[in-house]
Amino acid sequence: MAHTYDPQNIFARILRGEIPNKTVLETQHTLAFHDINPAAPVHVLVIPKGPYVTFDHFAADASAEEIVDFHRTAASVCAMLGIAAGDGYRAITNAGVHGMQEVPHYHLHILGGRVLGRLVERA
Ligand code: AMP
């Protein structure tokens, strides 16, 4: 999959402060904010501040510092929202056409607050 980053994508605009967001947590390399169209009572997006398109792009090309910061921030979000020690959650990321990714900036969805159903529909 090509990893050409579009700097006009909506999350890039959020990171530049051009569009507001409901921030949960911000660190040097990572931003976590509430999804504008939540699919569950808890629906937070965790994004790296760097220009990465997908999970595999981030995992392959980001620095170790960025990768650790991203995952520590995601863990803090789970703790802050009470889902890690509670009834659980789902962390998912979509990539490309088959993954039905809408925003081409890598993001981890953290969903919780209800039973979420099966992971994917069977074709
Ligand atoms: P995906 O389909 O995995 O690319 O998910 C993109 C997610 O971004 C969707 O759940 C949208 O509701 C969410 N989203 C789009 N625009 C915004 C925004 N301005 N603020 C917060 N979440 C957004």
Side-chain angles (χ1 to χ4, degrees), residues 47-70:
I47 68 173
K49 291 185 175 177
Y52 304 104
V53 181
T54 57
F55 162 74
D56 63 286
H57 186 199
F58 179 71
D61 288 3
S63 68
E65 192 180 340
E66 289 175 293
I67 290 171
V68 169
D69 185 78
F70 181 88

Side-chain angles (χ1 to χ4, degrees), residues 4 16 18 20 40-41 48 53 63-64 66 76-79 86-87 90 97 99 103 108-109 112 115 118:
T4 307
R16 289 196 296 268
E18 295 168 10
V53 181
S63 68
E66 289 175 293
S76 296
V77 166
C78 291
D87 291 324
R90 179 170 294 151
V97 174
V103 180
L108 187 68
H109 296 256
V115 175
R118 291 268 173 207

Side-chain angles (χ1 to χ4, degrees), residues 10-11 14 19-22 33-39 43 45 92-95 99-105 107-109 111:
I10 197 147
F11 293 169
I14 284 175
I19 294 175
N21 74 91
K22 288 173 62 181
F33 54 98
H34 291 282
D35 195 292
I36 204 166
N37 185 22
H43 190 170
L45 303 173
I92 53 172
T93 181
N94 300 315
M100 297 187 72
Q101 180 178 13
E102 289 174 16
V103 180
H105 181 115
H107 49 284
L108 187 68
H109 296 256
L111 298 142

